[in-house]
Amino acid sequence: MGGHHGDAPQVPRLRMRQQPERRLGVVERRREHDDVAAPGGGEERHDSHSCAVAIALRQTVHLSGLIDQLFELAKLDFKGMTLNLEALAPGDLANDVLQKFRLTAEARNVRLEVVAPPGLPQVDADPALLERVFDNLVGNALQHTPEGGSVSVRLAAVEARLRVHVEDTGCGIAASDVPFVFERHWRPSDPARRTPGGAGLGLAIARRILELHGRSIRVESEEGNGTRFSFSLPCTVRSAPA
């Protein structure tokens, strides 16, 4: 009896090990049958699979970007948010931002330029957040500017303020859409003007950052004649020498 009970459990374990091999053999025979029945079918399935993977990757990147922007807005809305104000050179910052977009602009034959007089005063701002404002405005302008167009960042000191204009020669914004461009999740009413995968948060983030600096932003646009975003920042006040 003892030997009988010791050997019995070995049978089902042996069968369990064989079952996956049997299933694998069936799958392989089905694959061979499919390949014989439909010549070239393997390549078609591979292309279809590659396309599905590419779509999934694009959707993942879009979702990741959306989540990042939502977290960014939530952080900016936090009442305890503080700014790390520094005196910085606006011309240098604008040039650094345009450099990020240089390759994309060249590929699309779009000219990027910073227009600024020499000797511009420094401004008091949070460098990282102000860079984000320039990123969003320049990136938005580039997305809506066709081949052969231009995107410009214009800087000028007026009294104790620095005026900033980000202009493009793109498709412009419909008059009915202009009042809503800074709203969260806003997208053009005309589907043809929408950026694929855009979440409509970039301009809202730019406005919120400027609000934290005590500033506002405005937009001027005309369909077919480009768009201009404008804001100002206080120039750095230097203490008189003792």
Side-chain angles (χ1 to χ4, degrees), residues 16 92 99 104 125 129 159 181 204 218 230:
M16 289 298 292
D92 291 345
Q99 193 61 34
T104 301
L129 293 182
E159 297 179 350
V181 295
R218 62 189 179 92
S230 305

Side-chain angles (χ1 to χ4, degrees), residues 86-175:
E86 297 180 14
L88 57 90
D92 291 345
L93 179 59
N95 277 301
D96 289 345
V97 169
L98 259 59
Q99 193 61 34
K100 299 179 189 178
F101 295 95
R102 192 71 63 186
L103 291 178
T104 301
E106 289 176 354
R108 299 176 57 181
N109 192 27
V110 173
R111 186 177 76 256
L112 300 179
E113 60 178 353
V114 174
V115 181
L120 275 178
Q122 292 184 319
V123 296
D124 291 319
D126 185 305
L129 293 182
L130 185 58
E131 181 176 356
R132 183 64 165 150
V133 172
F134 278 113
D135 279 342
N136 288 2
L137 295 179
V138 173
N140 178 76
L142 185 57
Q143 287 174 348
H144 295 93
T145 300
E147 183 177 354
S150 64
V151 174
S152 305
V153 177
R154 298 181 180 274
L155 308 173
V158 179
E159 297 179 350
R161 285 181 169 75
L162 177 84
R163 289 187 179 175
V164 181
H165 303 291
V166 178
E167 306 173 349
D168 65 65
T169 59
C171 58
I173 303 171

